[in-house]
Amino acid sequence: MAFWLYKSEPFKWSWEMQKAKGDVGEEWTGVRNYLARNNMRAMQIGDKGFFYHSNEGLEVVGIVEVCALSHPDSTAEGDARWDCVDIRAVCDMPRPVTLKDVKANPKLAGMALVTSMRLSVQPVTEEEYLEVCRMGGLENPPR
């Protein structure tokens, strides 16, 4: 099991929109960065991740899971370089965890959200996952 963080601008794709897709989930499309694409290619069904509102809010607002393996991105207009996974909402973060709070926590100093802020799909270690869940009031984080 691996853990990830997915960034989305809420005016384009919000947590509420993600939740509305239900168990079917939604393609995580539009990623045009090779490292982020490679992260998606490494994902497995059931991997958990954070849904992070970027630009507005700057906070982890929910937990998602991979529900379809890497496949061609339907928004790539036939460009075979770009893949995506499908993710579905699992649960809300009881208290959103802000970027400011993440940066203030010494246990998270090495987290990609702090060190590689621009990367739209990032790996998260199990320790980071558990710490952010703790900060957000999620007592029994989904694994």
Side-chain angles (χ1 to χ4, degrees), residues 1-135:
M1 174 80 52
F3 302 95
W4 308 93
L5 182 141
Y6 305 83
K7 289 183 175 182
S8 182
E9 296 174 358
F11 69 93
K12 290 184 181 176
W13 188 255
S14 71
W15 175 237
E16 293 302 319
M17 295 164 85
Q18 183 67 49
K19 290 192 305 184
K21 288 296 185 171
D23 285 341
V24 174
E26 180 71 8
E27 286 186 321
W28 197 255
T29 60
V31 174
R32 300 297 182 264
N33 172 285
Y34 288 107
L35 183 53
R37 179 212 56 196
N38 291 346
N39 286 337
M40 289 191 290
R41 286 181 174 177
M43 292 176 185
Q44 298 298 313
I45 299 291
D47 281 0
K48 301 298 185 284
F50 294 127
F51 193 101
Y52 178 84
H53 277 166
S54 63
N55 291 341
E56 296 172 28
L58 301 176
E59 58 192 1
V60 173
V61 293
I63 305 288
V64 295
E65 75 178 354
V66 175
C67 59
L69 294 175
S70 179
H71 56 86
D73 183 330
S74 65
T75 68
E77 299 177 3
D79 188 340
R81 293 177 295 170
W82 306 115
D83 291 355
C84 66
V85 294
D86 292 13
I87 61 172
R88 67 175 154 232
V90 174
C91 66
D92 292 320
M93 188 64 70
R95 285 186 312 271
V97 178
T98 67
L99 177 60
K100 183 178 178 182
D101 291 338
V102 169
K103 287 182 172 183
N105 186 330
K107 293 180 181 177
L108 301 174
M111 190 172 179
L113 185 60
V114 174
T115 63
S116 303
M117 289 177 50
R118 295 195 58 172
L119 190 59
S120 62
V121 178
Q122 314 174 347
V124 174
T125 68
E126 183 174 10
E127 294 78 17
E128 292 164 346
Y129 177 77
L130 294 173
E131 181 65 11
V132 172
C133 287
R134 182 197 65 76
M135 293 168 67

